[in-house]
Amino acid sequence: MAHLLLIEDDAAIRTNLLRSLRDRGHAVASSSTAMDGLQAALAERPDLVVLDLGLPDLDGKELLRMLRAVSTVPVIVATARDDEAEIVKVLDAGADDYVVKPFTAAQLDARVRAVLRRGPAGERTEPAVITVGGLRIDPGARTANLDGTDLDLTPREFDLLHHLAARAGQVVTKRELLSEVWQVPYGGADKTVDVHLSWLRRKLGETAQEQRYLHTVRGVGIRLSEPS
């Protein structure tokens, strides 16, 4: 049984999600404001937080940043917008995943289980250190550096880079990335992968137009390889 914290100000949505998530075997607490939610997250130490962005007392992204400053609890953000700019903002603020309103309880439950299935970091079985060109990845320490400079990666960015680097020279499909990195075997939104790849490119000092390590194979997937 997972202990979830639902931060949602809409009473009808909150009530429906509480009932549905509990019916699916989760223990769920709830808060209707950002500050109450922050207090509950620190006091109750949930396994995962479901965070609505449209809160009455504080923008949800600000709450996410505050939460990230004091906790590593996984957070799934609920947003009414599906444009890339909004998604990048919530991921940049520290969200582990997102769902776009309207969504069903079944969809949210699947996302919750997928995030929680990842478990503790550092349990993968690839080689201890991976080197591709000037890129060096240490999965045991969960660190990566490029040309001797440490890369400041989020946990999801590290997992994505690690998965691609462990298969250097191979084309990896978005479906595989969703299944192996996001742990969503039923499929998911390609935009999730696209946003993280775009974010990762920036940290590697490249763009989709000027590719060095990450090469898009149109209609197939992505390949990480040593720059020519």
Side-chain angles (χ1 to χ4, degrees):
M1 176 184 293
H3 177 197
L4 311 181
L5 173 62
L6 173 63
I7 307 176
E8 167 64 64
D9 69 314
D10 187 297
I13 294 176
R14 187 171 64 251
T15 299
N16 288 335
L17 287 177
L18 281 171
R19 181 175 61 251
S20 298
L21 289 171
R22 285 169 178 165
D23 286 346
R24 286 169 168 79
H26 303 295
V28 191
S30 68
S31 298
S32 59
T33 67
M35 298 315 296
D36 284 349
L38 179 61
Q39 185 175 24
L42 297 179
E44 299 177 20
R45 300 177 65 84
D47 297 315
L48 183 143
V49 173
V50 179
L51 172 62
D52 175 41
L53 293 185
L55 299 171
D57 57 332
L58 188 68
D59 182 85
K61 289 190 291 294
E62 290 303 316
L63 173 59
L64 179 56
R65 293 188 181 96
M66 293 169 64
L67 186 59
R68 274 290 164 262
V70 295
S71 174
T72 59
V73 61
V75 177
I76 296 178
V77 161
T79 175
R81 300 180 61 187
D82 64 352
D83 60 284
E84 182 173 328
E86 180 69 11
I87 292 168
V88 168
K89 287 178 182 177
V90 298
L91 295 174
D92 197 21
D96 292 86
D97 205 346
Y98 67 94
V99 288
V100 177
K101 295 182 176 181
F103 56 86
T104 66
Q107 290 172 334
L108 177 59
D109 179 49
R111 295 277 183 157
V112 168
R113 288 185 285 107
V115 171
L116 293 178
R117 264 200 309 272
R118 294 205 306 270
E123 293 184 352
R124 302 187 186 269
T125 60
E126 284 83 1
V129 176
I130 301 171
T131 302
V132 183
L135 187 62
R136 184 179 188 276
I137 301 167
D138 185 340
R142 291 186 65 82
T143 60
N145 66 68
L146 178 62
D147 299 328
T149 300
D150 289 340
L151 297 173
D152 183 16
L153 304 177
T154 66
R156 186 61 62 79
E157 289 171 346
F158 179 87
D159 289 340
L160 176 59
L161 180 62
H162 180 209
H163 189 87
L164 292 170
R167 295 153 183 81
Q170 303 176 25
V171 179
V172 180
T173 67
K174 292 180 182 179
R175 181 177 294 276
E176 177 181 336
L177 292 173
L178 284 166
S179 175
E180 298 299 322
V181 178
W182 274 262
Q183 296 291 301
V184 186
Y186 61 88
D190 284 355
K191 186 175 289 186
T192 299
V193 179
D194 291 337
V195 169
H196 278 82
L197 285 171
S198 176
W199 200 1
L200 187 56
R201 284 187 195 280
R202 290 200 299 269
K203 294 189 177 181
L204 292 175
E206 60 184 77
T207 67
Q209 291 72 38
E210 298 181 2
Q211 301 174 5
R212 296 182 64 239
Y213 284 91
L214 299 177
H215 300 270
T216 299
V217 180
R218 189 176 298 276
V220 183
I222 192 82
R223 182 185 71 250
L224 187 148
S225 58
E226 184 174 351
S228 57

